[in-house]
Amino acid sequence: KLVVVALPAGSYNVSVAEEEAKKRWAASATWSNATSVATLALSGTKAYSLTFDQGSWLSIFKLQPAASGNYSFFTEHLPSEFEKGFHFMKDENGTDVEVHQEESHVSHSGGEQGGHDHADHGDGHSKDEHAGHNHYTYDAGGHAHAWEWAGIFALDAGETYTWSAARGATGAYAAAGMKLVVVALPAGSYDVHAAEEEAEKGWAAPTTWNNATSGATLALSGAKAYSLTFDQESWVSLFKLQPAVSGSYAFFTEHLPSEFENGFHYLKDEHGHDVEVARAPATTTGAPTSLAQRADSPIYLAAMLALLVGNIR
């Protein structure tokens, strides 16, 4: 639960808002329900009951204040309990929004919460978690394609995966959106080339593109073509993937997925574990074959679980 109270101009005293917060907290009828990706309007006093997305490793709630000024936040739990890798509140460019005054009625093992001294996320990007990971590539055979990158992932039916795109260090997305074609491969297949013809058909027909915005669920079966639009009011955009059957899926993307990474891997399962590009069984010489296309395509591996509350201008 979350209560937000707009403070008088120039006020930084959280105690001023406590009486109003107590009134709203005690009145169950005042709570507005909100699910991940919802926009929460801030003016006067607002009471929200947030439900986290159990089908994703990350839940996002966008905050839109009616006027510039100071806002006092009262939360049911310590926000730091939901951090791992980056700060719980960011503006739309991905910059951490720091607290002016803070108090806690619960002992926290990490000590005082002031000063944003949370070791789990450091500078908010946790870049070190990418260190030491393999960058898989394979020979595309010299053929030119409409897509910039392709790779195979082994996905399980019943699991919801999250494809993410984050703004870079400059505060901008590498592109406003991205086209994505996903082709289900035959059972036991790890051959991305086998799906290229189907991908080319989908890429060439503009009527096949399904538009998707952040928070959308993309059903994966057969061959699917999606045109992803990234959320310009948030520092990260999330797209949930739901495979119809367990197996290998070939992904063809307009841009390198790594262009949209900023501290965490672009594909995760619902528990926050990285989903790596699949590898074929060992060859007769014992050398495994990697299945990511594009010689300069890094596939980063990281692991985080967090709650993001962002977009305060």
Side-chain angles (χ1 to χ4, degrees):
K1 290 181 178 180
L2 167 69
V3 171
V4 184
V5 181
L7 292 174
S11 175
Y12 289 88
N13 189 356
V14 69
S15 299
V16 172
E18 284 186 351
E19 183 176 353
E20 187 64 27
K22 288 177 181 177
K23 291 178 183 178
R24 297 302 294 268
W25 208 284
S28 58
T30 66
W31 297 101
S32 299
N33 296 322
T35 56
S36 182
V37 194
T39 297
L40 314 184
L42 304 185
S43 63
T45 301
K46 297 289 186 179
Y48 291 101
S49 180
L50 311 182
T51 299
F52 304 145
D53 189 348
Q54 299 304 306
S56 177
W57 70 281
L58 178 65
S59 294
I60 296 175
F61 300 90
K62 297 192 294 181
L63 309 181
Q64 290 188 340
S68 299
N70 298 321
Y71 291 78
S72 185
F73 286 64
F74 301 85
T75 62
E76 183 179 12
H77 305 289
L78 293 176
S80 56
E81 293 183 53
F82 301 91
E83 286 185 334
K84 186 168 176 61
F86 49 84
H87 193 41
F88 62 87
M89 183 178 287
K90 291 179 177 285
D91 67 15
E92 61 189 31
N93 298 316
T95 302
D96 292 348
V97 178
E98 304 289 359
V99 66
H100 287 289
Q101 178 184 341
E102 189 172 18
E103 65 180 44
S104 173
H105 299 290
V106 179
S107 176
H108 184 66
S109 60
E112 295 182 3
Q113 295 300 301
H116 185 176
D117 190 21
H118 303 166
D120 274 344
H121 57 72
D123 69 352
H125 299 301
S126 190
K127 293 181 177 62
D128 287 345
E129 295 200 24
H130 279 321
H133 294 299
N134 291 322
H135 297 169
Y136 300 134
T137 61
Y138 92 114
D139 185 6
H143 300 293
H145 298 293
W147 52 84
E148 190 170 0
W149 181 92
I152 292 178
F153 297 95
L155 306 180
D156 294 326
E159 181 86 15
T160 299
Y161 301 86
T162 300
W163 186 283
S164 63
R167 294 178 187 263
T170 62
Y173 288 107
M178 184 175 72
K179 291 180 177 179
L180 167 69
V181 171
V182 184
V183 180
L185 294 174
S189 174
Y190 290 86
D191 185 5
V192 69
H193 296 300
E196 286 181 350
E197 183 177 354
E198 191 66 31
E200 287 173 347
K201 290 178 183 178
W203 210 283
T207 56
T208 65
W209 296 103
N210 297 291
N211 295 323
T213 56
S214 181
T217 297
L218 315 184
L220 305 184
S221 64
K224 297 288 187 179
Y226 290 101
S227 180
L228 311 182
T229 299
F230 303 147
D231 189 348
Q232 298 304 311
E233 294 182 338
S234 177
W235 73 281
V236 64
S237 299
L238 307 178
F239 303 88
K240 296 194 291 184
L241 312 180
Q242 291 186 338
V245 298
S246 298
S248 299
Y249 291 79
F251 284 62
F252 302 85
T253 64
E254 183 180 10
H255 307 291
L256 296 177
S258 57
E259 293 183 54
F260 301 91
E261 289 186 330
N262 194 343
F264 54 88
H265 192 43
Y266 59 86
L267 184 59
K268 291 178 176 284
D269 65 17
E270 60 193 38
H271 307 289
H273 301 138
D274 291 346
V275 179
E276 305 177 24
V277 172
R279 295 175 69 88
T283 65
T284 55
T285 61
T289 303
S290 59
L291 296 169
Q293 174 180 332
R294 179 66 189 262
D296 57 348
S297 166
I299 307 299
Y300 295 113
L301 311 176
M304 296 179 201
L305 177 63
L307 159 70
L308 166 68
V309 182
N311 196 29
I312 286 198
R313 299 186 179 89

